[in-house]
């Protein structure tokens, strides 16, 4: 484990119920990151999606992949202090080629694997995949920018 949820909260501004990364398990700055979220029936989203057939929403999977990508972007910035990181946020610019391959349900461990396609200044283009039991459940190309809050 590289970063637990408390350490992730020092990097990302997201908080419950919208912090969607529990751990970062691997990271190579400017190249890739791997992390995960344990999906629990106690997630507030399951009250309405769907009460008798709980399915973790695809948009939440995309957001979780983007949050992992945000950790990668911040941890790839050389010589940046913790105060500077806390004064910035990552904004989505685009989501392309999104595909949902299989449903994610309570009890699943959702593993995010994000690879850098391109980085130019504050803009990051990422190849994002989410897995459950080594099976791709979702994928997308994400573009994001680090900006001042």
């Amino acid at each position: 484990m590289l970063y637990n949820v408390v350490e992730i909260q020092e990097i990302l501004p997201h908080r419950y119920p919208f912090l969607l990364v529990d751990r970062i398990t691997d990271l190579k700055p400017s190249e890739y990151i791997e992390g995960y979220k344990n999906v629990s029936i106690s997630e507030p989203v399951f009250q309405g999606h769907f009460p008798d057939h709980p399915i973790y929403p695809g948009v939440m999977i995309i957001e979780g992949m983007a949050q992992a990508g945000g950790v990668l972007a911040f941890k790839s910035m050389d010589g940046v202090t913790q105060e500077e990181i806390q004064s910035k946020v990552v904004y989505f610019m685009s989501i392309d080629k999104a595909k949902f391959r299989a449903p994610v349900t309570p009890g699943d461990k959702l593993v995010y694997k994000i690879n850098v396609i391109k980085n130019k200044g504050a803009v990051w283009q990422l190849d994002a995949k989410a897995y459950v039991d080594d099976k791709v459940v979702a994928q997308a190309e994400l573009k994001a920018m680090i900006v001042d809050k």
Side-chain angles (χ1 to χ4, degrees), residues 12 27 41 45 51 57 72 75 77 89 98 109 116 128:
L12 297 177
L27 181 142
I41 190 62
V45 72
L72 173 60
K75 287 300 180 179
M77 296 168 65
V89 67
K109 181 178 181 178
V116 175

Side-chain angles (χ1 to χ4, degrees), residues 68-80:
V71 172
L72 173 60
F74 281 127
K75 287 300 180 179
S76 298
M77 296 168 65
D78 290 328
V80 177

